[in-house]
Structures are given as C-alpha cells and as structure tokens.
Amino acid sequence: MVAERTFIAIKPDGVQRGLIGEILGRFERKGFKLIALKQIIPSRELAEKHYGIHREKPFFSGLVDFITSGPVVAMVLEGDGVITSARTLIGATKPLEANPGTIRGDLAVNIGRNVIHGSDGPDTSAFEIGLWFQPSEINNWSPSDQIWRVESE
Ligand code: IDP
Ligand code: MG
C-alpha cells in the first residue's frame, strides 16, 4: 500500500523573501518524510492546470501571473495524515485569519502572497503530484527512525 502523500509548493514570494529554510524546517521538524524536492519556474500551462479549479475566479489570471513569476520550491511529503496535517501547519488561506503558529499566520499578510500551497485532499494531492513530478523524481526511502513516525498509543 502506498502511504499518504501530499504536494506542497513554496510560492515565489516565499522564495524571494528567503523563507525556504524556515518553511522546509517546519515540515522537517514535524516529522514528515520528504520524498521529492525541486526548484522550478512553472510554465503558464502547468500553473493553469494546477489552479484549474479556480479558472472562473476573478483572481485567476493574477494568480497564474504570480505563480509563474519566479522560482517555486515544489515538494512531496509522505506520512499518515500528512494531507490534513500539512494544511493545519499552513493555516487559513487569508493570512490575517490564519492562526499564529501556522506558516501563513506567522509569515504572511496578503491572500495573494500567502507563501505556500498544500493539497486539500487525496484526489487533489494525487493530481498535483502527477502534474509537478515525474515518477523518477520521487524517492522511496525508509528513515532510520521510521518506527517513531507511525501512529501508536
Ligand atoms: P488555498 O491555497 O488555501 O488552498 P484556494 O482557495 O485554493 O486556497 O486558493 C488558491 C490560491 O489563490 C490562494 O492560496 C491564494 O493565493 C489565491 N486566492 C484565493 N482567493 C483569493 C482572492 O480572493 N484574491 C486573491 N487571491 C486569492
Ligand atoms: Mg486550494
């Protein structure tokens, strides 16, 4: 059985503001397994597919302009419950409403510059991982402390 996976991307504002290490560190410290990581300037085609669900929204073209404006740091994380937990660590879409302690709550103020993307469910994560990564870019590996990462009482 394939373990649960999620797609996370540090958006161009997070990269430009020098927040890659800060953001990566939060997921690393939490204990999720990083199985893919790359920096990429997304094409318009990739960005439009990624945000396809928002195609009809008034902010769509601005969102695509922004996400293609510079490097994005894309990654795949693996672990039980990682999709929901990563969304919790990320915080609410509107940074001013995101709780302190979350990435957006601590590091952002503007909804259009909210530093990070995370998949919102299993179907989205499968779609987004396939969109951003080739299978050969994803590493299957077993952390030496794997026994501590699984849920137990
Ligand atoms: P999410 O990133 O928390 O999943 P979504 O509703 O999926 O939020 O929206 C995708 C991205 O589109 C948001 O992260 C944000 O950058 C941008 N966005 C969403 N709503 C607005 C808006 O009303 N104005 C400008 N940008 C928006
Ligand atoms: Mg979303």
Side-chain angles (χ1 to χ4, degrees), residues 118-129:
S119 306
D120 63 7
D123 295 344
T124 327
S125 82
F127 169 72
E128 292 173 352
I129 291 166

Side-chain angles (χ1 to χ4, degrees), residues 51 53-54 87 93 117-118 120 128:
Y51 281 125
I53 196 158
H54 297 301
R87 292 280 293 190
T93 305
H117 166 85
D120 63 7
E128 292 173 352

Side-chain angles (χ1 to χ4, degrees), residues 2 11 30 33 37 46 50 58 72 88 101 107 110 124 134:
V2 175
K11 298 179 182 180
K30 175 72 173 167
K33 182 167 62 160
L37 178 69
L46 172 58
H50 174 79
V72 165
T88 303
L107 304 175
N110 180 335
T124 327
Q134 301 294 325

Side-chain angles (χ1 to χ4, degrees):
M1 200 188 86
V2 175
E4 186 175 324
R5 295 175 170 181
T6 195
F7 172 75
I8 302 289
I10 303 173
K11 298 179 182 180
D13 52 335
V15 176
Q16 300 283 353
R17 290 174 56 205
L19 296 173
I20 298 170
E22 164 72 35
I23 294 170
L24 273 179
R26 291 181 179 220
F27 293 108
E28 205 173 26
R29 292 197 300 271
K30 175 72 173 167
F32 289 122
K33 182 167 62 160
L34 183 66
I35 58 169
L37 178 69
K38 66 179 173 185
Q39 187 186 73
I40 173 176
I41 301 177
S43 66
R44 225 172 157 84
E45 186 189 2
L46 172 58
E48 286 178 355
K49 282 184 185 160
H50 174 79
Y51 281 125
I53 196 158
H54 297 301
R55 193 170 291 278
E56 306 305 325
K57 306 266 176 62
F59 58 82
F60 179 72
S61 67
L63 180 59
V64 171
D65 287 345
F66 169 61
I67 210 78
T68 58
S69 68
V72 165
V73 170
M75 73 195 84
V76 180
L77 297 173
E78 187 177 273
D80 289 342
V82 69
I83 298 172
T84 301
S85 178
R87 292 280 293 190
T88 303
L89 293 177
I90 287 169
T93 305
K94 293 181 180 174
L96 293 181
E97 295 176 6
N99 288 326
T102 65
I103 292 167
R104 287 168 173 167
D106 290 348
L107 304 175
V109 290
N110 180 335
I111 191 170
R113 301 289 183 270
N114 59 8
V115 301
I116 185 162
H117 166 85
S119 306
D120 63 7
D123 295 344
T124 327
S125 82
F127 169 72
E128 292 173 352
I129 291 166
L131 183 64
W132 288 78
F133 285 96
Q134 301 294 325
S136 62
E137 294 177 302
I138 297 174
N139 301 307
N140 289 305
W141 61 288
S142 296
S144 52
D145 64 350
Q146 180 66 35
I147 192 76
W148 300 331
R149 295 174 185 240
V150 296
E151 200 180 350
S152 63
E153 69 270 26

